[in-house]
């Protein structure tokens, strides 16, 4: 089954480059393009892509607000992959905090672009490098710490969250803990439910903002 992608960027050359890279893959199909975040919600409703590759800085509606709009108004929303120039851009962190699932650097190699789209589509692994972890830690606050305390994670759930924060996939967590993948999936689901997190990205942000996990 192919992964369908909507490209959103105000630079035509960036869109053309991403389209060329992605459509060279048999399992990825670009179903549409937009030049601004303001066009995203109608296109998502009409095209129902699996992944939106979204520029974070656009003239009318940026990727942060466009992400919020999609998640707020579209039932069963797509995964959102933020496309950016700088990984330590605060805009990137704000987009992740708003609900984006990961991010992609515009200078990434073709194979990295393809991998990022596939990973985000699966929702199994996490694109969360050190620069963004540090930003998340800077936003730490008492409310985040209290929320994680209230979640009352079990010892195993806490271990799974720490490994999620390192960017490990379910299979990698299973190998680390010497358990089955299905067991890990159950623990991940429990962690998300207890934290009230939409997905792994939101859970990891909560882990860093609360100080439960330290960057590095």
């Amino acid at each position: 089954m192919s992964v369908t992608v909507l490209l959103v960027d105000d630079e035509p050359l960036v869109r053309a480059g991403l389209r060329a890279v992605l459509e060279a893959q048999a399992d990825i199909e670009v179903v549409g393009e937009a030049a601004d975040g303001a066009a995203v919600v109608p296109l998502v409703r009409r095209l129902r892509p699996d992944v939106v590759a979204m520029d974070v800085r656009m003239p009318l509606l940026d990727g942060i607000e466009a992400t919020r709009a999609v998640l707020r108004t579209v039932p069963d929303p797509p995964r959102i992959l933020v496309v950016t120039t700088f990984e330590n851009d605060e805009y990137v962190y704000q987009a992740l905090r708003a609900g984006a699932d990961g991010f992609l650097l515009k200078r990434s190699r073709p194979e990295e672009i393809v991998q990022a789209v596939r990973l985000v589509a699966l929702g199994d692994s996490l694109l969360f490098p050190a620069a963004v972890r540090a930003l998340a830690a800077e936003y730490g606050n008492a409310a985040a710490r209290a929320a994680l305390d209230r979640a009352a994670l079990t010892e195993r759930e806490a271990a799974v969250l720490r490994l999620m924060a390192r960017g490990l996939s379910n299979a990698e967590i299973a190998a680390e803990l010497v358990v089955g993948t299905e067991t890990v999936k159950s623990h991940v689901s429990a962690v998300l439910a207890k934290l009230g997190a939409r997905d792994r990205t939101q859970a990891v942000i909560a882990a860093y903002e609360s100080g439960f996990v330290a960057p590095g």
Side-chain angles (χ1 to χ4, degrees):
M1 187 173 67
S2 65
V3 176
T4 56
V5 182
L6 171 65
L7 303 177
V8 185
D9 197 294
D10 61 330
E11 298 181 34
L13 285 177
V14 172
R15 297 199 307 273
L18 288 173
R19 178 182 280 274
V21 167
L22 296 175
E23 291 202 327
Q25 307 301 310
D27 62 333
I28 299 177
E29 178 188 3
V30 176
V31 294
E33 296 184 16
D36 193 85
V40 171
V41 169
L43 282 174
V44 166
R45 287 182 179 277
R46 178 164 62 88
L47 300 172
R48 303 303 301 174
D50 299 312
V51 176
V52 177
M54 180 117 66
D55 188 12
V56 73
R57 293 174 181 263
M58 292 177 285
L60 297 179
L61 191 71
D62 65 29
I64 301 168
E65 291 304 320
T67 294
R68 290 193 179 111
V70 169
L71 298 181
R72 186 176 63 248
T73 65
V74 178
D76 190 21
R79 313 290 290 182
I80 296 177
L81 180 64
V82 173
V83 181
T84 181
T85 304
F86 304 108
E87 67 181 29
N88 61 348
D89 189 343
E90 188 173 322
Y91 274 76
V92 174
Y93 174 68
Q94 292 295 353
L96 292 171
R97 205 165 187 261
D101 301 285
F103 77 88
L104 171 68
L105 293 175
K106 291 186 179 182
R107 65 175 182 271
S108 297
R109 298 190 301 272
E111 60 269 25
E112 292 172 334
I113 293 170
V114 171
Q115 181 189 37
V117 168
R118 288 176 177 152
L119 286 177
V120 167
L122 286 172
D124 181 40
S125 194
L126 188 70
L127 308 172
F128 212 83
V132 180
R133 295 175 192 176
L135 279 172
E138 286 180 20
Y139 279 81
N141 54 63
R145 288 189 289 275
L148 197 135
D149 288 341
R150 286 195 302 274
L153 301 180
T154 66
E155 184 176 339
R156 180 49 60 92
E157 288 164 356
V160 167
L161 179 55
R162 290 189 182 95
L163 295 173
M164 287 166 60
R166 283 170 45 190
L168 272 64
S169 68
N170 286 348
E172 291 166 334
I173 293 172
E176 186 89 9
L177 298 178
V178 196
V179 297
T181 304
E182 291 303 316
T183 299
V184 172
K185 288 180 181 178
S186 296
H187 287 314
V188 170
S189 295
V191 169
L192 298 186
K194 288 185 176 183
L195 294 177
R198 169 179 175 258
D199 55 24
R200 297 167 78 100
T201 300
Q202 303 307 303
V204 170
I205 286 174
Y208 282 108
E209 286 189 343
S210 66
F212 178 77
V213 178

